[in-house]
Amino acid sequence: MKKIAFFDTKPYDRESFTRAELAKNFDIRFFEQRLNEDSVQLSEACDAVCIFVNDLANKAVIDALKEKGIELLALRCAGFNNVDLKHACNRIHVVRVPGYSPYSVAEHAVALIMSLNRNTHRAFYRTRDGNFSINGLMGFDLHGKCAGVIGTGKIGQCLIRILKGYGMRVLAYDPYPNRAFAEEADFVYTDLEQLFRESDLISLHCPLTEETRYIINEKAIEMMKPGVMLINTGRGPLVDTSALIKGLKSGKVGAAGLDVYENEAGYFFEDFSNTVIQDDVLTRLLHFPNVLVTAHQAFFTREAMKNIADTTLKNIDDYFNGLPLPNEICPDCAADGNKQGKKRCW
Ligand code: NAD
């Protein structure tokens, strides 16, 4: 039976993977440690490795896996910015779960938008404390306002449908526009500058790449409408946090909903409630009344967790059965070997 080393696992991961249909085919070793150059030793005698968003698969880790004879790295997430894909090509197969539930993330973005807009996160504490004043809790009608959506893939499209349901006008930016969807859902593609200048709220749904790193920076914020709401459920480094803090302090940014943060790796998914948080930028963010931080939980629904477990184990099963790998990612194969008629990276 093939042994699979699962890194960075929490009780909910163990539960959903143990319950999955294909789990019976594998000897799964759950580790709490994140994968990095030190912890890679835990995969000794394993046949494949499974990782999540804050594990690290850099050159050294990939080489160490290869040395152990491991040629499959299965990501149980959609994003893959934590893997050195160029180095992985022809050394180790990298598979992922491209679309486990775009609804989970889009709906979480809406949860952030609605909380921040109507201040339900503050009302919750006020009423529990017997404070029934509504001073300072005024929101705005989403109906008739303009939403800017950056990235119109699976999640961006779900969000656009929801926002259109609120009666919003939607502007979108994507280097690969989906014109048919724009016509069907009744929104307009534009350039980034127009999106920044006209949107009342901006939500990020593009992958983290060298091109999108700090796509929200000081210059971008300068172009935005006063009081703009920023939502990031994509990846932390899409936003230059110092520029965001400056924008929040000046009032240019009216609210920010952040499910991801550029230095989240040291904190998110863990309990620091008994310690003094050393990250001053994170601490500053947590103290704005108009900032809502959630710890990378946008994906976290029952449906998404089931799909993640099923697809991850299917990817691993296909690999060991010598089948094509539709969810393999490899830059040399334009991130999808199958589209070019190749069944696998090599
Ligand atoms: P997707 O691949 O379906 O869509 C991404 C879209 O971004 C594509 O249409 C692509 O053309 C577009 N894009 C590429 N470069 C761009 C650029 N420079 N500017 C604007 N758009 C660009 O991916 P998806 O499933 O919609 O997921 C989007 C991102 O959401 C993922 O890459 C991941 O980082 C993040 N994510 C977060 C969570 C969470 O729990 N917070 C969960 C899943 C995914």
Side-chain angles (χ1 to χ4, degrees), residues 110-331:
V110 176
L112 294 174
I113 293 169
M114 291 309 291
S115 272
L116 285 164
N117 179 22
R118 307 308 296 270
N119 284 295
T120 48
H121 58 302
R122 298 176 62 207
F124 175 78
Y125 285 109
R126 280 198 194 178
T127 54
R128 278 163 72 99
D129 194 32
N131 177 356
F132 303 105
S133 158
I134 61 169
N135 278 332
L137 303 186
M138 192 191 295
F140 59 89
D141 287 4
L142 288 181
H143 183 92
K145 298 293 184 308
C146 179
V149 176
I150 300 181
T152 58
K154 290 174 285 299
I155 297 169
Q157 289 182 28
C158 283
L159 181 70
I160 289 172
R161 285 191 199 281
I162 299 171
L163 298 180
K164 289 301 293 185
Y166 277 102
M168 297 192 81
R169 175 180 161 238
V170 174
L171 294 178
Y173 171 73
D174 194 309
Y176 307 97
N178 183 338
R179 304 274 175 212
F181 176 66
E183 196 166 323
E184 181 209 320
D186 186 24
F187 71 91
V188 178
Y189 278 106
T190 175
D191 57 23
L192 269 181
E193 185 170 339
Q194 191 188 348
L195 185 149
F196 290 149
R197 291 196 188 284
E198 294 187 23
S199 301
D200 298 288
L201 75 84
I202 295 173
S203 196
L204 304 175
H205 303 286
C206 52
L208 174 62
T209 61
E210 278 322 305
E211 201 184 317
T212 60
R213 185 175 295 274
Y214 283 1
I215 196 166
I216 303 299
N217 52 31
E218 206 168 325
K219 211 170 137 215
I221 292 174
E222 252 168 46
M223 286 185 236
M224 293 178 194
K225 277 180 141 176
V228 65
M229 182 190 290
L230 267 178
I231 303 293
N232 188 8
T233 60
R235 283 289 181 267
L238 296 175
V239 175
D240 175 349
T241 317
S242 312
L244 173 63
I245 288 175
K246 211 170 145 196
L248 283 159
K249 283 169 84 173
S250 73
K252 181 71 187 259
V253 177
L258 308 172
D259 186 52
V260 287
Y261 160 60
E262 58 178 316
N263 294 317
E264 70 179 50
Y267 289 95
F268 282 18
F269 304 112
E270 307 299 334
D271 180 2
F272 283 89
S273 57
N274 284 317
T275 54
V276 175
I277 292 178
Q278 298 297 319
D279 183 332
D280 293 348
V281 176
L282 178 59
T283 314
R284 184 70 188 95
L285 278 178
L286 294 173
H287 285 86
F288 286 103
N290 50 350
V291 172
L292 187 43
V293 176
T294 52
H296 210 136
Q297 69 171 80
F299 72 98
F300 200 41
T301 64
R302 276 192 289 276
E303 293 77 4
M305 290 301 282
K306 181 178 181 330
N307 290 340
I308 287 172
D310 290 345
T311 309
T312 302
L313 293 177
K314 173 86 169 70
N315 287 340
I316 298 173
D317 210 44
D318 285 351
Y319 170 76
F320 287 116
N321 286 321
L323 295 171
L325 298 174
N327 295 327
E328 175 157 28
I329 29 173
C330 174

Side-chain angles (χ1 to χ4, degrees), residues 49-51 72-76 93-96 312 315-316:
V49 158
C50 179
I51 63 170
L72 180 67
L73 183 64
L75 276 68
R76 52 179 196 278
H93 294 275
V94 182
V95 290
R96 65 168 179 149
T312 302
N315 287 340
I316 298 173

Side-chain angles (χ1 to χ4, degrees), residues 1-7 25-31 43 45-50 72 74 312-313 316-317 320:
M1 199 179 258
K2 299 292 184 194
K3 291 193 190 91
I4 322 293
F6 274 58
F7 284 86
N25 294 1
F26 303 106
D27 174 358
I28 298 181
R29 310 282 165 97
F30 291 114
F31 298 116
S43 61
C46 287
D47 302 286
V49 158
C50 179
L72 180 67
T312 302
L313 293 177
I316 298 173
D317 210 44
F320 287 116

